């Protein structure tokens, strides 16, 4: 019977068939930890940078939206100011029509007053055998001079009125200069009401694009056609409302 040979042993006297003591080797044990920590650090850096860029982009976009909204609203408000100024000018022209048309009546009333002064002067001249006869004659003479001067002024004013009324065409409501001017202002106001929303939208898009740079994007007002809060009507409506006073 043959005996089996004993397994060889290493220099330290241990059996060669026994497993190596890997658990005793501590080299590179920190490497996995460093690897995972590096990945976590890199991920955190990327997350912080991405979050920062996103936040900056959102702030820039919000500022661009605010600036665009203010710009569009300002354009609409400016258009309303133009319409208001246009209406004020039209009202002034209409007031001029009222004034020119009322001027003959004012001249007639002034002439009636002068006629009464003439009657009073004649009554003073007719007074006789009174202690104040001389004084009454002096006052009557002064009144007559006053009446003559004012009659000359009234005649000049009447001639000037006729010239102004003829030039402005106050009585010609179809083709008179002042009426054509008021109609032109009416159509100008309508044009402003139509065009202003378009200009406001253009200003909104331009301001948004300038403020959102270097990013790209388009911003606009809603609704797409921001109609102005203006009352729609015709010149006839305006004229009919004031015809009684004109």
């Amino acid at each position: 019977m043959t005996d089996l040979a004993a397994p060889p042993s290493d220099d330290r006297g241990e059996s060669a068939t026994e497993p190596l003591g890997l658990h005793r080797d501590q080299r590179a044990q920190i490497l996995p930890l460093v690897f995972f920590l590096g990945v976590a650090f890199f991920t955190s850096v990327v997350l912080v940078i991405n979050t920062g860029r996103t936040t900056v982009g959102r702030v820039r976009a919000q500022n661009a939206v605010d600036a665009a909204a203010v710009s569009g609203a300002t354009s609409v408000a400016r258009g309303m100011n133009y319409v208001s100024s246009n209406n004020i000018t039209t009202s002034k022209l209409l007031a001029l029509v009222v004034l020119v048309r009322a001027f003959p009546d004012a001249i007639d009333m002034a002439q009636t007053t002068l006629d009464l002064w003439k009657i009073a002067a004649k009554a003073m001249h007719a007074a006789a055998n009174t202690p104040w006869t001389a004084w009454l004659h002096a006052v009557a003479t002064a009144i007559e001079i006053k009446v003559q001067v004012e009659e000359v002024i009234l005649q000049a004013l009447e001639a000037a009125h006729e010239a102004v009324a003829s030039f402005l065409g106050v009585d010609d409501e179809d083709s008179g200069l002042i009426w054509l001017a008021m109609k032109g202002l009416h159509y100008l106001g309508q044009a402003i009401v139509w065009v202003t929303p378009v200009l406001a939208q253009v200003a909104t898009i331009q301001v948004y694009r300038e403020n959102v740079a270097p990013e790209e994007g388009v911003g606009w007002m809603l609704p797409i056609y921001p109609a102005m809060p203006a009352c729609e009507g015709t010149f006839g409506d305006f004229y009919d409302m004031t015809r009684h006073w004109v």
Side-chain angles (χ1 to χ4, degrees):
M1 185 174 182
T2 305
D3 294 333
L4 295 177
S9 59
D10 56 8
D11 296 339
R12 292 174 294 179
E14 296 178 352
S15 175
T17 60
E18 294 181 359
L20 298 176
L22 295 177
H23 61 283
R24 297 178 182 178
D25 190 357
Q26 298 182 358
R27 293 176 298 176
Q29 288 187 0
I30 197 68
L31 184 60
L33 180 60
V34 172
F35 172 76
F36 287 112
L37 288 177
V39 171
F41 177 75
F42 178 76
T43 304
S44 301
V45 170
V46 172
L47 181 62
V48 170
I49 294 176
N50 185 57
T51 303
R53 292 184 60 183
T54 302
T55 303
V56 171
R58 292 186 62 180
V59 171
R60 183 183 294 113
Q62 185 63 49
N63 292 337
V65 169
D66 294 340
V70 171
S71 177
T74 302
S75 298
V76 174
R78 187 179 297 112
M80 294 180 65
N81 288 337
Y82 290 151
V83 172
S84 177
S85 177
N86 186 73
N87 292 338
I88 291 174
T89 303
T90 303
S91 300
K92 289 181 178 180
L93 292 178
L94 183 62
L96 181 60
V97 171
V98 175
L99 179 63
V100 173
R101 285 187 172 182
F103 204 75
D105 293 337
I107 292 178
D108 292 340
M109 294 177 63
Q111 186 62 52
T112 300
T113 303
L114 293 180
D115 292 338
L116 294 176
W117 278 113
K118 289 180 181 180
I119 294 173
K122 290 181 179 180
M124 291 180 183
H125 281 302
N129 300 325
T130 61
W132 305 284
T133 299
W135 182 82
L136 291 175
H137 282 296
V139 172
T141 302
I143 291 175
E144 290 175 347
I145 295 174
K146 169 184 174 297
V147 168
Q148 292 176 358
V149 172
E150 292 185 357
E151 284 180 340
V152 172
I153 295 174
L154 287 180
Q155 291 176 358
L157 291 176
E158 187 173 4
H161 166 264
E162 292 177 357
V164 171
S166 176
F167 174 74
L168 296 178
V170 174
D171 297 326
D172 187 359
E173 299 173 3
D174 294 326
S175 59
L177 178 62
I178 194 167
W179 292 101
L180 292 177
M182 285 191 286
K183 291 178 181 179
L185 290 174
H186 166 70
Y187 292 123
L188 176 61
Q190 286 187 335
I192 293 174
V193 171
W194 295 335
V195 172
T196 295
V198 178
L199 297 179
Q201 195 67 264
V202 172
T204 300
I205 295 174
Q206 182 178 2
V207 170
Y208 180 83
R209 185 177 303 164
E210 292 176 353
N211 283 271
V212 80
E215 303 293 335
E216 294 183 358
V218 178
W220 58 83
M221 296 179 66
L222 291 177
I224 300 300
Y225 184 80
M228 293 179 59
C231 179
E232 296 182 1
T234 64
F235 181 77
D237 298 334
F238 174 74
Y239 173 70
D240 292 339
M241 293 176 60
T242 56
R243 188 181 184 90
H244 173 72
W245 301 105
V246 175

